[in-house]
Amino acid sequence: MIGIVGAGQLGRMLALAGYPLGLEFLFIDKNARTPGGQVAPLLAGELTDRRLLGELSRRCEVLTFDWENIPVEALEKLPGKARISPPLRALAAAQDRLAEKRTFELLDIPTTRYASVNSRADLDAAIERIGLPGVLKTRRLGYDGKGQAVLRKPADVAGAWEQLGKAPLLYENLVPFDYEISVIAVRGADGALAFYPLCLNVHRDGILRLTRAPFGNAALTRRAQNAARKLLEHFDYVGVLTIEFFVRRGQLVANEMAPRVHNSGHWTIEGAETSQFENHVRAVAGLPLGSTRARGHCAMVNLIGELPPRDPLLADAGLHWHDYGKEPRPGRKLGHLTLVESSARTRDRRAFKALSRVDRATWLALR
Ligand code: AMP
């Protein structure tokens, strides 16, 4: 049995990928109506509840995560026999933007210029050193652009401090990137490594909207894979790990890492020989990794805030529909579409058409 802490859509897709391998799953989350709870048994309670985590650890061989922000203390020294994969050291580094930047630096992975900010004086000093424009981010619990403010001119500083100043922060330069990519990598329990082809990602309002893969030339791929390899080996990692990069004039600048399967890898369900979800499950269960080869030119479009009418999209041959079973809410990821084509040109044409139907604002911004 594999225990999954957090039963969001990532947990759900992990369980759905694992059942055909003959594996079983048990979630912890607040309620059974969560996306994961709809497909596998669930212990209902807080993700930090030591009693429930102890029960999970007693009933499972291995614990993994759907969400990386569980306080590491809650997961330390649990009773029972379960291994924890990915390792808590990787979780700790990914939870705190400062620890994450220091890890990138330690491993010689190029990243933004940054400063830790704990007071208004720190912020002024950081802006003095790094300059404007920049981004002020909460060190913890930021995702999908939440807990961030872009500072373009001195007049923006007071408002951003007012909005975010209560939490420990990080200030970094705003990267005038040409585009954003991610690399999704997996390391098996035996140390075997595999990498998915690079993903080209489009965000709007800090939220991923569109991914296309495979992307990039051999040099970009080599640099991204080297960075991923260093992190995986540094942490003696088991499972899937993702790094998001800005690309400027062909150079990579690491933005952040996620110690888990990633939204930019959802195309792998139909588009790769083994999906990121199956490979994560294989890795944490100690099974051989599967091929990460792409089956064609793939795209993924996120369905955010509300689901569009399903049936006309299903009637479009080759378009795959994924509904996470969540309540609609503005800015919330509710599902995604994928397609796999034999040429990049057809893939792009169809992906943009799908985008125009489900996310007109992003489509207009890209035209
Ligand atoms: P994050 O939550 O840090 O991944 O940020 C979400 C998105 O905001 C990124 O994918 C970028 O599109 C944008 N962003 C965040 N930090 C920066 C930065 N330092 N420079 C440029 N864009 C950024």
Side-chain angles (χ1 to χ4, degrees):
M1 179 98 83
I2 297 181
I4 306 184
V5 185
Q9 65 265 22
L10 301 179
R12 174 183 172 113
M13 289 185 272
L14 286 171
L16 290 174
Y19 280 116
L21 302 176
L23 301 168
E24 289 187 284
F25 296 85
L26 178 62
F27 284 105
I28 288 193
D29 210 323
K30 278 200 193 115
N31 70 67
R33 290 183 35 180
T34 45
Q38 295 166 20
V39 304
L42 177 141
L43 304 174
E46 295 295 330
L47 301 184
T48 48
D49 183 325
R50 291 275 301 177
R51 191 186 57 77
L52 280 186
L53 287 165
E55 184 179 342
L56 198 70
S57 173
R58 272 191 293 270
R59 289 175 58 183
C60 297
E61 286 82 53
V62 57
L63 300 192
T64 192
F65 310 92
D66 148 285
W67 194 58
E68 71 268 30
N69 286 314
I70 302 128
V72 166
E73 310 80 74
L75 296 159
E76 278 167 343
K77 301 194 189 74
L78 289 175
K81 57 187 180 332
R83 312 185 294 280
I84 300 187
S85 290
L88 292 179
R89 286 191 311 136
L91 220 60
Q95 284 176 357
D96 176 356
R97 290 188 190 274
L98 184 62
E100 185 177 54
K101 296 282 177 199
R102 287 183 175 151
T103 307
F104 289 151
E105 274 191 343
L106 177 76
L107 299 177
D108 257 336
I109 298 171
T111 188
T112 55
R113 281 175 288 135
Y114 67 91
S116 166
V117 171
N118 294 307
S119 66
R120 178 59 207 263
D122 284 353
L123 178 57
D124 293 338
I127 293 171
E128 183 70 29
R129 180 164 70 79
I130 294 167
L132 290 168
V135 192
L136 190 60
K137 300 181 174 183
T138 54
R139 275 172 54 183
R140 291 180 179 276
L141 294 170
Y143 68 100
D144 287 350
K146 293 185 176 65
Q148 295 191 14
V150 175
L151 310 187
R152 295 187 186 279
K153 49 187 190 307
D156 296 339
V157 178
W161 178 252
E162 179 77 9
Q163 182 197 332
L164 301 173
K166 281 164 218 70
L169 302 169
L170 183 115
Y171 182 74
E172 64 182 7
N173 61 307
L174 185 74
V175 179
F177 57 79
D178 301 321
Y179 47 85
E180 293 183 82
I181 64 163
S182 53
V183 64
I184 299 171
V186 57
R187 186 166 181 268
D190 59 355
L193 294 172
F195 304 91
Y196 287 93
L198 298 186
C199 312
L200 175 64
N201 302 324
V202 175
H203 294 81
R204 186 169 59 78
D205 297 337
I207 306 178
L208 181 67
R209 307 285 165 159
L210 168 69
T211 294
R212 283 171 290 166
F215 175 77
N217 57 26
L220 205 64
T221 302
R222 196 179 56 245
R223 285 188 208 122
Q225 291 188 354
N226 270 341
R229 179 180 295 112
K230 285 181 191 173
L231 285 167
L232 291 169
E233 287 175 351
H234 172 72
F235 290 121
D236 195 13
Y237 196 94
V238 176
V240 166
L241 174 128
T242 306
I243 317 176
E244 293 182 79
F245 297 96
F246 305 122
V247 185
R248 167 116 170 114
R249 300 199 179 115
Q251 298 303 311
L252 293 178
V253 179
N255 174 27
E256 60 181 1
M257 64 174 168
R260 54 169 168 76
V261 288
H262 195 258
N263 193 174
S264 63
H266 291 1
W267 61 270
T268 62
I269 296 178
E270 289 86 11
E273 282 186 6
T274 315
S275 76
Q276 61 165 347
F277 301 101
E278 181 175 337
N279 257 337
H280 182 76
V281 167
R282 286 186 184 217
V284 304
L287 303 173
L289 300 182
S291 162
T292 49
R293 204 176 69 83
R295 294 180 193 273
H297 296 269
C298 310
M300 187 282 317
V301 174
N302 263 340
L303 303 175
I304 294 163
E306 59 178 341
L307 289 178
R310 180 191 57 195
D311 297 2
L313 290 162
L314 281 186
D316 197 344
L319 207 57
H320 297 274
W321 170 271
H322 293 259
D323 177 345
Y324 307 149
K326 287 159 81 173
E327 291 296 321
R329 200 189 299 151
R332 197 171 200 206
K333 290 173 180 168
L334 302 178
H336 69 266
L337 303 172
T338 58
L339 48 90
V340 185
E341 290 293 335
S342 53
S343 79
R345 221 170 123 183
T346 318
R347 183 270 317 273
D348 287 352
R349 186 175 52 70
R350 294 198 68 191
F352 280 96
K353 184 164 169 228
L355 198 65
S356 76
R357 290 164 81 174
V358 306
D359 185 353
R360 220 167 162 78
T362 301
W363 178 71
L364 286 170
L366 288 177
R367 257 192 339 156

